[in-house]
Amino acid sequence: MVKYSILLLFTVSLIFSCKNSSEKTEQVQKQEITLYTHRHYDSDKVIFEKFEQETGIKINVVKASADELIQKLESEGNQSPADLLLTVDAGRLVRAKNKGLLQSVDSKVLDSTIPSYLKDQENQWFGLTKRARIIAYSKERVKPEELTTYEALTESQWKNKILIRASSNIYNQSLLASIIANNGKTAAKTWAEDIVTNFARVPKGNDRDQIKAILAGEGDLAIVNTYYIGKLLNSKDPVEVNAANAVGLFFPNQDDRGTHINISGIGVTKHAPNKANAIKFMEYLVSKEVQEIFAETNYEYPVNPSANTSELLISWGNFKEDQLSLTKLGELNKAAVITFDEVAWDKGPNAQ
Amino acid sequence: MLNKLNRIRRDFNQWSLFTAAIGFFVAIPILTITVYLFDGVGDMWEHIVNYFLLEYIQNSIVLLIGTGILTTLLGTSSAWVISNYNFPLRSLLKWLLFLPLAIPSYILAYAYVGLLGNGGTLIGCLQTIGFSIQKIELMNIYGLIWVLSFSLFPYVYASSLAMFSSIPRSIRESSDLLGASNWRYLRSVAFPLASPAIISGLFLVFMEVLNDYGAAKYYGINTFTTGIFRTWTMLEDLQSAVYLSALLIVMVVIINSLVKWQRGSKSYAVKGSTDQLKSTDRIDLKGNKRLLVWTIIGMPILFGLILPLGQLFYWATLTYEKTFNIELLQIALQSFTIALVTTGLILLTSLALIYFSRWNHLKSLHFFKKVATIGYVIPGAIIGIGVIRSSQSFITFFDDVFSLEIGFIFYSSSVVLIYAYVFRFLAVVFHPLEANSLKVGKNISEASYLLNVGKIKTLFNIELPLLRTALLTSGILVFIDVLKELPLTLILKPYNVQTLAVKAYEYADDERVAEAALPALMLILTITISMAFISYLQKRDKLNI
C-alpha cells in the first residue's frame, strides 16, 4: 500500500511537471516578452503587472545575477527565449554589448527621454534609474563640513573610521573604475591603498550592515548607495530604522566632478523573438508614471527629467552628478577588480 | 594485449553496457568541463596564484577541519544518546535533531548576524538582563565554522544514528560478558563499527562546506567556491575558474581516498538468528543523567534550530503582510514537485549504478561510478556551465541533423534543471546506499542466485526490502538538498519555475533579510512536513532507525 502510494505520488508529480512544460511551449505564439533581470524588487512586480493589464502583453521573468544571465544568453545563442536584459549596473550591460548579446534600438521616446550620458552611444542599452554612491556619516561624531571628496577619505584623520563592503561588490568596482577614469590608474591605486589603511575593520556584510556598524560605533563613515538608506528608513525592523536615523548623507565631490552614480539599465537581446513588444516595454519603463514608482517605492533617482522624485529623495537635496560616460565603468571594471586585489582590499587595514 | 582483450570479452555482459550507458549519461557535464581543461589556464591565472590561491587552500582546509570536528562531536554524541537511552521527549528530540538541515546555511548565516550582530535580538536580550555587550563578532572564519557546523551536523547524526541503532544485540552482549564498561564499549566496539557510516556522513558535510557560497560570501571568507565565482564573473576568466574547480576536485579526490583507506577491505555483514540481530534495548535514564543527556541533545537543537528559527519568526512577523500571498503557496508546491521527481530519479539512478556495476565484471567500468558521483563537489555554477554547454550541443545536433528547433523545450521546462540536480546530488544517495548494500553483504544475494532466482528478482524481493531504511533516509536527505539548492537553480531554472530557496535568496541578496524570513520558513515547513510524512511511513512499516 505504502509502496503504491509513493509510486502514485511520484507519477502524478512527473505528469504535473511535464504538463507544465508543454503548456509553456504553446504560449510562445501569444503576445509576450521574456525578461532576464538582475533586479528583484517587489516594486518591479507591480510595474510588470500594470504593463500586462494595460497592453495585454505577458512578461515572463527570469531572475538571476547579471553575470549568470550573460552566460545563459551566450550559451542559448540564437534559440534564446530572452527579449530583454535588465541589470543593476552599467558595467554588465557594456560587457553584454561587447559580447554581441545586445542589439541597437531605434526609439524616439527613449532617445528624447534619457540623457545621453545615461545610455549607450549605439543605443544598445539604456539607463532606467540612477543610484548615487555617497558617504553616510555618524550625525553624532562627524560634522558634514569635515567631508569633501572621495579622495579626501584617505587623510589620516579618518584612520580606523571608514566602513565599506568587500571588493566583490559591483558598486565598489564601479566607484573605483570612476576614480581610475578621472584620476588615472596610478593615482587610483594609491587612493585604494591609502583608504584601506583607514578602514575601521575588514570589509564584510552588505551596505545595510555598514550603516548599522556606524550606529554601533564601529566606524564613523560608510560608503553606501543612497536607496539603501531609503530602505532602512522604511524598514519594518526597528533596528534598521534606528541605524538609518543615526546617519546623515553627504554627496562628495560637489566642487569638482560630482558624486559617482551608476544606473540600473536595460537592453534588447540580439536574438529577441519579440523585439517590437520589448521596445514598447522599455518605453513604458521610462514613462513619467513608472519612473515615479521607481522613485517612490525603491528610492532610486529617475532618469526621466520630467518625473518627480519622492519626498524622501527631495529631502536629501539636489546634487551634482559625475557625468562620466557609463561605458567607461564597464571598460575599466576589470582594472578596478585587479587593483582591489593588489591593495588587499578584502584583507582590511592590518594586512599591509 | 591479446590476453587483456580476452579478459574483457570474458568479463563483458549486458550489465557492463547498462553501467556504461548510465554512467556516461550522468557524467556528460563533467566530461564537458574536462574538455575545457585542454585549453590551458586563462590570462588571469597568474593574478590568482599571486594573490589568492594560498588563501583559498588555507581557508578551505581550516573550514574542513573545523566543521569536521564540530559536526562529528555534535552528530555522534546526539546519535549515541538517542540510540542507547530512554528519557522523556526522546522520540520528539530524535526527530528535531534532523531539522537544522532544513535551514539553508546562508539563511542561518544571516539569522546569526540578526541575533548576535549590531543591535541583534539576542544581544538586546542579554543587554536587558544586565550584560554590557555590544555584539559578538561572527563574521570571520570561526563564525563560518560555527554556522556551517550547526546547519550540517544532521548529516553525521543521520548516518551514525542508523548505524548505532542497528548494532546487533549479540555484539553488545558479548562485550558486556567480557566485562567491558559502557565507555569501553563505545570506544572499542560501537564507534569502530559505526565509523564507515560516520565518515560517509562527514563526507557529505565536507562536500557541502566546499560548496558553500552564500554564507562564505556574506562573512567575507575567500574559499575555492567564492573564488571560482569571482574568477568567472569578476575577472571574466572562465578558463581559470575551471582550473580552480579542477583543484577543488583534486581536494575531494584526496578526501575520498582517505575515506577508502579508512574503510579498507573491512566487511560488516552480520550473521545470526533474527533474535540475535535485533538491536539492544535502550537504557532508562533518571535524575542527573537525564540532565546530562538533555544538555548533549539540547545544544545542537538550541543553536541549530531554536535560536535561528526564533529570529526568522521575529522577522516574519515584521514582514508577513508584504510577503505572504497565494504566489508563495504556488512556489512551495512547485518546489515540492520538482524535488520529489528529482529524488525519485536519483534513487533509481543510484540503484541502477550500484547494482549494474556489481553484476558487471568489467572492473574498468567502475570508473564511471566515480565520475558520476563527483557532481556533488563541483560548484553549482560550474555544473550549470557544463550542463548548458552540453545541452547546447545536443540542441545544435538536432537542429543540424533533423532541422528540429528543440531549444524552447529545453529552456522553458524543468528537464535541464532536473537533469543537473541528478548529476549534482547523485553522491548523496549513492554513497550511503553503497555502504549499506555492503553491510547487507553478498551472502544473501548469492544464496538467492544459487536457488536460481534471477538478478532483478533478487534485487526487488530481497535486496531492496533490506535496503528500505537506507533508501528512505538517503531519499529524505537528497529531497532536502534539492529543495535548498541555490546556485544551480538560479542558472538553470526556466522562467516559469520558482523555488522557495530562490525566492528567499532574492530577498536576502537584495539586503532584505527580514523579507526572506517567510519563504525560508515555508521552505523549512515543507521540509518538516515531508520528514514527518516519511517518519509516519516508517512507523507504519514498523521500521526502526
Side-chain angles (χ1 to χ4, degrees), chain A residues 320-339:
Chain A
K320 183 179 168 192
E321 294 168 12
D322 181 1
Q323 299 207 347
L324 175 77
S325 152
L326 292 173
T327 306
K328 272 267 179 264
L329 298 183
E331 285 164 1
L332 291 170
N333 178 274
K334 199 160 154 185
V337 172
I338 292 171
T339 309

PDB file of all heavy atoms in Angstrom, chain A residues 320-339:
ATOM      1  N   LYS A 320      25.276  67.429  -7.648  1.00  0.00           N
ATOM      2  CA  LYS A 320      25.914  67.375  -8.946  1.00  0.00           C
ATOM      3  C   LYS A 320      26.386  65.951  -9.199  1.00  0.00           C
ATOM      4  O   LYS A 320      27.058  65.351  -8.348  1.00  0.00           O
ATOM      5  CB  LYS A 320      27.098  68.343  -8.945  1.00  0.00           C
ATOM      6  CG  LYS A 320      27.810  68.440 -10.260  1.00  0.00           C
ATOM      7  CD  LYS A 320      28.961  69.445 -10.149  1.00  0.00           C
ATOM      8  CE  LYS A 320      29.848  69.328 -11.375  1.00  0.00           C
ATOM      9  NZ  LYS A 320      31.099  70.066 -11.182  1.00  0.00           N
ATOM     10  N   GLU A 321      26.036  65.421 -10.373  1.00  0.00           N
ATOM     11  CA  GLU A 321      26.424  64.054 -10.713  1.00  0.00           C
ATOM     12  C   GLU A 321      27.720  64.052 -11.505  1.00  0.00           C
ATOM     13  O   GLU A 321      27.964  64.947 -12.324  1.00  0.00           O
ATOM     14  CB  GLU A 321      25.353  63.401 -11.593  1.00  0.00           C
ATOM     15  CG  GLU A 321      24.035  63.183 -10.898  1.00  0.00           C
ATOM     16  CD  GLU A 321      22.949  62.818 -11.906  1.00  0.00           C
ATOM     17  OE1 GLU A 321      23.277  62.523 -13.073  1.00  0.00           O
ATOM     18  OE2 GLU A 321      21.772  62.836 -11.517  1.00  0.00           O
ATOM     19  N   ASP A 322      28.524  63.025 -11.307  1.00  0.00           N
ATOM     20  CA  ASP A 322      29.682  62.786 -12.161  1.00  0.00           C
ATOM     21  C   ASP A 322      29.143  62.282 -13.506  1.00  0.00           C
ATOM     22  O   ASP A 322      28.552  61.209 -13.573  1.00  0.00           O
ATOM     23  CB  ASP A 322      30.574  61.726 -11.505  1.00  0.00           C
ATOM     24  CG  ASP A 322      31.811  61.447 -12.334  1.00  0.00           C
ATOM     25  OD1 ASP A 322      31.972  62.089 -13.395  1.00  0.00           O
ATOM     26  OD2 ASP A 322      32.620  60.597 -11.913  1.00  0.00           O
ATOM     27  N   GLN A 323      29.322  63.095 -14.576  1.00  0.00           N
ATOM     28  CA  GLN A 323      28.715  62.719 -15.841  1.00  0.00           C
ATOM     29  C   GLN A 323      29.638  61.914 -16.732  1.00  0.00           C
ATOM     30  O   GLN A 323      29.522  61.913 -17.959  1.00  0.00           O
ATOM     31  CB  GLN A 323      28.203  63.972 -16.566  1.00  0.00           C
ATOM     32  CG  GLN A 323      27.143  64.683 -15.741  1.00  0.00           C
ATOM     33  CD  GLN A 323      26.163  65.480 -16.584  1.00  0.00           C
ATOM     34  OE1 GLN A 323      26.381  65.713 -17.768  1.00  0.00           O
ATOM     35  NE2 GLN A 323      25.072  65.912 -15.971  1.00  0.00           N
ATOM     36  N   LEU A 324      30.556  61.210 -16.102  1.00  0.00           N
ATOM     37  CA  LEU A 324      31.455  60.311 -16.812  1.00  0.00           C
ATOM     38  C   LEU A 324      30.623  59.307 -17.619  1.00  0.00           C
ATOM     39  O   LEU A 324      29.623  58.782 -17.131  1.00  0.00           O
ATOM     40  CB  LEU A 324      32.281  59.559 -15.761  1.00  0.00           C
ATOM     41  CG  LEU A 324      33.225  58.478 -16.245  1.00  0.00           C
ATOM     42  CD1 LEU A 324      34.462  59.104 -16.835  1.00  0.00           C
ATOM     43  CD2 LEU A 324      33.607  57.569 -15.091  1.00  0.00           C
ATOM     44  N   SER A 325      31.057  59.039 -18.855  1.00  0.00           N
ATOM     45  CA  SER A 325      30.315  58.073 -19.671  1.00  0.00           C
ATOM     46  C   SER A 325      30.304  56.713 -18.972  1.00  0.00           C
ATOM     47  O   SER A 325      31.338  56.200 -18.559  1.00  0.00           O
ATOM     48  CB  SER A 325      30.983  57.952 -21.039  1.00  0.00           C
ATOM     49  OG  SER A 325      30.743  56.675 -21.564  1.00  0.00           O
ATOM     50  N   LEU A 326      29.122  56.139 -18.839  1.00  0.00           N
ATOM     51  CA  LEU A 326      28.997  54.896 -18.085  1.00  0.00           C
ATOM     52  C   LEU A 326      29.686  53.732 -18.794  1.00  0.00           C
ATOM     53  O   LEU A 326      30.031  52.737 -18.171  1.00  0.00           O
ATOM     54  CB  LEU A 326      27.524  54.585 -17.842  1.00  0.00           C
ATOM     55  CG  LEU A 326      26.825  55.561 -16.880  1.00  0.00           C
ATOM     56  CD1 LEU A 326      25.351  55.290 -16.816  1.00  0.00           C
ATOM     57  CD2 LEU A 326      27.432  55.480 -15.494  1.00  0.00           C
ATOM     58  N   THR A 327      29.888  53.878 -20.095  1.00  0.00           N
ATOM     59  CA  THR A 327      30.624  52.856 -20.834  1.00  0.00           C
ATOM     60  C   THR A 327      32.012  52.664 -20.235  1.00  0.00           C
ATOM     61  O   THR A 327      32.528  51.556 -20.167  1.00  0.00           O
ATOM     62  CB  THR A 327      30.737  53.271 -22.314  1.00  0.00           C
ATOM     63  OG1 THR A 327      29.430  53.542 -22.794  1.00  0.00           O
ATOM     64  CG2 THR A 327      31.374  52.188 -23.137  1.00  0.00           C
ATOM     65  N   LYS A 328      32.587  53.790 -19.787  1.00  0.00           N
ATOM     66  CA  LYS A 328      33.915  53.743 -19.157  1.00  0.00           C
ATOM     67  C   LYS A 328      33.917  52.791 -17.958  1.00  0.00           C
ATOM     68  O   LYS A 328      34.884  52.074 -17.709  1.00  0.00           O
ATOM     69  CB  LYS A 328      34.309  55.151 -18.681  1.00  0.00           C
ATOM     70  CG  LYS A 328      35.011  55.969 -19.723  1.00  0.00           C
ATOM     71  CD  LYS A 328      36.527  55.797 -19.567  1.00  0.00           C
ATOM     72  CE  LYS A 328      37.311  56.579 -20.610  1.00  0.00           C
ATOM     73  NZ  LYS A 328      37.693  55.783 -21.765  1.00  0.00           N
ATOM     74  N   LEU A 329      32.836  52.809 -17.182  1.00  0.00           N
ATOM     75  CA  LEU A 329      32.773  51.959 -15.989  1.00  0.00           C
ATOM     76  C   LEU A 329      32.892  50.490 -16.391  1.00  0.00           C
ATOM     77  O   LEU A 329      33.538  49.697 -15.721  1.00  0.00           O
ATOM     78  CB  LEU A 329      31.459  52.169 -15.234  1.00  0.00           C
ATOM     79  CG  LEU A 329      31.192  53.559 -14.678  1.00  0.00           C
ATOM     80  CD1 LEU A 329      29.891  53.570 -13.901  1.00  0.00           C
ATOM     81  CD2 LEU A 329      32.347  54.013 -13.792  1.00  0.00           C
ATOM     82  N   GLY A 330      32.248  50.150 -17.493  1.00  0.00           N
ATOM     83  CA  GLY A 330      32.319  48.768 -17.976  1.00  0.00           C
ATOM     84  C   GLY A 330      33.720  48.430 -18.444  1.00  0.00           C
ATOM     85  O   GLY A 330      34.266  47.383 -18.124  1.00  0.00           O
ATOM     86  N   GLU A 331      34.316  49.369 -19.185  1.00  0.00           N
ATOM     87  CA  GLU A 331      35.645  49.097 -19.735  1.00  0.00           C
ATOM     88  C   GLU A 331      36.688  48.957 -18.642  1.00  0.00           C
ATOM     89  O   GLU A 331      37.627  48.178 -18.762  1.00  0.00           O
ATOM     90  CB  GLU A 331      36.047  50.230 -20.695  1.00  0.00           C
ATOM     91  CG  GLU A 331      35.323  50.162 -22.040  1.00  0.00           C
ATOM     92  CD  GLU A 331      35.438  51.470 -22.812  1.00  0.00           C
ATOM     93  OE1 GLU A 331      36.087  52.414 -22.316  1.00  0.00           O
ATOM     94  OE2 GLU A 331      34.844  51.531 -23.912  1.00  0.00           O
ATOM     95  N   LEU A 332      36.528  49.732 -17.563  1.00  0.00           N
ATOM     96  CA  LEU A 332      37.559  49.737 -16.520  1.00  0.00           C
ATOM     97  C   LEU A 332      37.239  48.796 -15.364  1.00  0.00           C
ATOM     98  O   LEU A 332      37.966  48.740 -14.383  1.00  0.00           O
ATOM     99  CB  LEU A 332      37.747  51.162 -15.990  1.00  0.00           C
ATOM    100  CG  LEU A 332      38.380  52.122 -16.995  1.00  0.00           C
ATOM    101  CD1 LEU A 332      38.304  53.555 -16.491  1.00  0.00           C
ATOM    102  CD2 LEU A 332      39.833  51.737 -17.266  1.00  0.00           C
ATOM    103  N   ASN A 333      36.137  48.059 -15.488  1.00  0.00           N
ATOM    104  CA  ASN A 333      35.718  47.195 -14.381  1.00  0.00           C
ATOM    105  C   ASN A 333      36.806  46.205 -13.978  1.00  0.00           C
ATOM    106  O   ASN A 333      37.140  46.060 -12.800  1.00  0.00           O
ATOM    107  CB  ASN A 333      34.437  46.454 -14.767  1.00  0.00           C
ATOM    108  CG  ASN A 333      33.979  45.518 -13.670  1.00  0.00           C
ATOM    109  OD1 ASN A 333      34.416  44.389 -13.598  1.00  0.00           O
ATOM    110  ND2 ASN A 333      33.130  46.014 -12.778  1.00  0.00           N
ATOM    111  N   LYS A 334      37.384  45.553 -14.974  1.00  0.00           N
ATOM    112  CA  LYS A 334      38.373  44.533 -14.663  1.00  0.00           C
ATOM    113  C   LYS A 334      39.625  45.154 -14.035  1.00  0.00           C
ATOM    114  O   LYS A 334      40.191  44.614 -13.085  1.00  0.00           O
ATOM    115  CB  LYS A 334      38.739  43.782 -15.945  1.00  0.00           C
ATOM    116  CG  LYS A 334      39.374  42.450 -15.690  1.00  0.00           C
ATOM    117  CD  LYS A 334      39.254  41.598 -16.924  1.00  0.00           C
ATOM    118  CE  LYS A 334      40.344  40.570 -16.985  1.00  0.00           C
ATOM    119  NZ  LYS A 334      40.293  39.806 -18.248  1.00  0.00           N
ATOM    120  N   ALA A 335      40.034  46.303 -14.551  1.00  0.00           N
ATOM    121  CA  ALA A 335      41.181  47.002 -13.972  1.00  0.00           C
ATOM    122  C   ALA A 335      40.912  47.323 -12.500  1.00  0.00           C
ATOM    123  O   ALA A 335      41.804  47.217 -11.650  1.00  0.00           O
ATOM    124  CB  ALA A 335      41.451  48.283 -14.750  1.00  0.00           C
ATOM    125  N   ALA A 336      39.657  47.690 -12.210  1.00  0.00           N
ATOM    126  CA  ALA A 336      39.296  48.003 -10.824  1.00  0.00           C
ATOM    127  C   ALA A 336      39.414  46.758  -9.949  1.00  0.00           C
ATOM    128  O   ALA A 336      39.977  46.808  -8.846  1.00  0.00           O
ATOM    129  CB  ALA A 336      37.874  48.564 -10.772  1.00  0.00           C
ATOM    130  N   VAL A 337      38.911  45.632 -10.444  1.00  0.00           N
ATOM    131  CA  VAL A 337      38.980  44.387  -9.669  1.00  0.00           C
ATOM    132  C   VAL A 337      40.435  44.025  -9.384  1.00  0.00           C
ATOM    133  O   VAL A 337      40.809  43.684  -8.258  1.00  0.00           O
ATOM    134  CB  VAL A 337      38.287  43.238 -10.436  1.00  0.00           C
ATOM    135  CG1 VAL A 337      38.524  41.926  -9.725  1.00  0.00           C
ATOM    136  CG2 VAL A 337      36.805  43.515 -10.565  1.00  0.00           C
ATOM    137  N   ILE A 338      41.276  44.138 -10.393  1.00  0.00           N
ATOM    138  CA  ILE A 338      42.691  43.779 -10.219  1.00  0.00           C
ATOM    139  C   ILE A 338      43.344  44.712  -9.194  1.00  0.00           C
ATOM    140  O   ILE A 338      44.108  44.274  -8.338  1.00  0.00           O
ATOM    141  CB  ILE A 338      43.409  43.818 -11.588  1.00  0.00           C
ATOM    142  CG1 ILE A 338      42.852  42.676 -12.454  1.00  0.00           C
ATOM    143  CG2 ILE A 338      44.914  43.691 -11.430  1.00  0.00           C
ATOM    144  CD1 ILE A 338      43.303  42.709 -13.890  1.00  0.00           C
ATOM    145  N   THR A 339      43.014  46.002  -9.278  1.00  0.00           N
ATOM    146  CA  THR A 339      43.569  46.955  -8.309  1.00  0.00           C
ATOM    147  C   THR A 339      43.140  46.593  -6.882  1.00  0.00           C
ATOM    148  O   THR A 339      43.954  46.615  -5.955  1.00  0.00           O
ATOM    149  CB  THR A 339      43.117  48.388  -8.651  1.00  0.00           C
ATOM    150  OG1 THR A 339      43.398  48.633 -10.018  1.00  0.00           O
ATOM    151  CG2 THR A 339      43.817  49.398  -7.780  1.00  0.00           C
TER     152      THR A 339
END
